């Protein structure tokens, strides 16, 4: 996104902060937008934020081994944000070009991350047993090391600083975070899943790139169907996202995680027009 120097041989080079949106989808399985995942590359650092469905495929499309990213931050625990984690932890442990992890996988999340690490170790056991018996892998390369975080700095290595921003993903979801990523004077902000949120607005100031989620439903559909209203109560409407961008004024504003509710879904063009008003 905000490269100051052109990449060479896959390196971001110099003080560039390179951000690749690997997945911009929602829980529905769809081929044109996999689950949420963002690759951050800065100097020698490589980091994934969220690990939704298809993350391993998108990494391989970039020519990266699935095991070449050792640190993953999770925003919250809806399936579309970490359903791809088991693929990454298992496939990444295979010592070939398409895998290649040489140590454990560090995964950072809100409270609950211990359960994911313990569960993954159990669920991946049968595959690990076969490969260890075959002298194929080091079993520790299939281990998730959990790191529980709260609001504030989650990751600070090699000049790359990532801050978790508490957001508001609905009345009964107490733990959901967006992220502010800084490196070499560049700032990238991703809302992840949230309603209109003042804390996010306060911490998203000065962004070069700000990616925000959005959900839309026609008023008559929302009025007639309580389930549609329930979904909308977890997300930001196009008009609300427009207010967020107006109050933060990023150099580049992008929409992601577009929940366009049926029947008669609002078009992307209609969403864009409403965000802009
Ligand atoms: Zn969610
Ligand atoms: Zn989501």
């Amino acid at each position: 996104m905000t490269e100051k120097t052109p990449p060479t041989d896959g390196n971001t080079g110099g003080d560039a902060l390179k951000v690749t949106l690997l997945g911009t989808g929602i829980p529905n399985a769809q081929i044109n937008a996999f689950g949420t995942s963002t690759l951050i590359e800065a100097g020698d650092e490589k980091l994934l934020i969220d690990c939704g469905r298809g993350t391993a495929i998108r990494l391989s499309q970039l020519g990266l081994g699935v095991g070449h990213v050792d640190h993953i931050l999770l925003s919250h625990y809806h399936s579309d944000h970490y359903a791809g984690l088991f693929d990454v932890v298992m496939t990444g442990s295979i010592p070939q070009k398409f895998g290649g992890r040489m140590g454990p996988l560090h995964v950072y999340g809100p409270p609950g991350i211990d359960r994911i690490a313990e569960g993954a170790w159990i669920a991946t056991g049968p595959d690990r047993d076969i490969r260890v018996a075959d002298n194929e892998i080091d079993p520790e390369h299939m281990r998730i090391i959990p790191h529980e975080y709260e609001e504030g700095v989650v990751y600070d290595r090699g000049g790359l600083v990532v801050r978790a921003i508490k957001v508001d993903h609905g009345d009964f979801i107490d733990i959901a975070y967006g992220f502010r990523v800084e490196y070499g004077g560049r700032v990238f902000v991703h809302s992840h899943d949230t309603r209109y949120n003042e804390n996010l607005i306060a911490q998203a100031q000065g962004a070069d790139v700000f990616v925000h989620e959005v959900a839309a439903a026609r008023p008559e559909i929302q009025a007639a169907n309580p389930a549609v209203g329930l979904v909308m109560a977890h997300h930001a409407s196009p008009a609300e996202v427009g207010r967020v961008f107006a109050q933060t004024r990023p150099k580049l504003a992008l929409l992601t995680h577009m929940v366009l509710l049926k029947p008669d879904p609002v078009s992307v063009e209609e969403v864009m027009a409403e965000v802009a008003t």
Side-chain angles (χ1 to χ4, degrees), residues 1-247:
M1 61 156 213
T2 53
E3 294 175 57
K4 289 179 181 172
T5 52
T8 55
D9 299 330
N11 294 321
T12 53
D15 58 355
L17 171 61
K18 184 176 181 182
V19 177
T20 307
L21 300 178
L22 303 179
T24 58
I26 54 177
N28 315 34
Q30 49 189 349
I31 191 65
N32 63 340
F34 288 172
T36 296
S37 185
T38 304
L39 175 65
I40 306 290
E41 297 172 274
D44 294 329
E45 298 298 315
K46 275 191 180 58
L47 187 69
L48 281 176
I49 301 182
D50 277 347
C51 194
R53 177 190 301 116
T55 299
I57 292 173
R58 294 301 189 221
L59 287 172
S60 83
Q61 285 180 296
L62 291 174
L64 281 174
V66 174
H68 290 188
V69 181
D70 297 328
H71 299 267
I72 301 177
L73 276 57
L74 300 181
S75 65
H76 68 297
Y77 297 132
H78 273 144
S79 58
D80 48 321
H81 297 259
Y82 79 102
L85 184 61
F86 299 119
D87 192 0
V88 169
V89 73
M90 295 167 82
T91 308
S93 73
I94 300 172
Q96 295 190 33
K97 196 173 173 208
F98 64 82
R101 187 181 310 110
M102 299 307 292
L105 179 63
H106 295 268
V107 183
Y108 307 69
I113 194 64
D114 287 351
R115 285 169 59 200
I116 288 176
E118 289 167 16
W121 184 253
I122 294 167
T124 58
D127 175 55
R128 186 169 56 249
D129 291 347
I130 295 170
R131 295 184 188 280
V132 169
D134 256 350
N135 288 318
E136 187 184 1
I137 67 165
D138 180 332
E140 289 303 311
H141 297 178
M142 207 183 282
R143 185 183 294 281
I144 289 176
I145 305 293
H147 301 267
E148 186 176 304
Y149 71 75
E150 298 176 339
E151 180 160 52
V153 174
V154 178
Y155 189 89
D156 184 355
R157 282 168 47 136
L160 175 64
V161 179
V162 183
R163 287 182 175 79
I165 304 168
K166 188 107 187 276
V167 292
D168 176 6
H169 194 18
D171 291 341
F172 301 105
I173 302 175
D174 190 39
I175 44 174
Y177 291 88
F179 293 100
R180 179 185 177 100
V181 179
E182 297 185 37
Y183 181 79
R186 299 294 197 184
V187 178
F188 168 73
V189 178
H190 196 311
S191 71
H192 290 91
D193 291 13
T194 185
R195 303 192 281 203
Y196 175 87
N197 183 247
E198 296 282 357
N199 188 40
L200 176 62
I201 291 168
Q203 298 197 50
Q205 299 295 324
D208 292 287
V209 177
F210 187 2
V211 179
H212 203 292
E213 68 113 85
V214 68
R218 298 193 188 284
E220 60 275 21
I221 302 293
Q222 192 168 333
N225 188 341
V228 170
L230 187 65
V231 173
M232 290 300 297
H234 290 76
H235 299 285
S237 70
E240 289 171 330
V241 176
R243 285 167 55 205
V244 172
F245 287 152
Q247 292 174 85

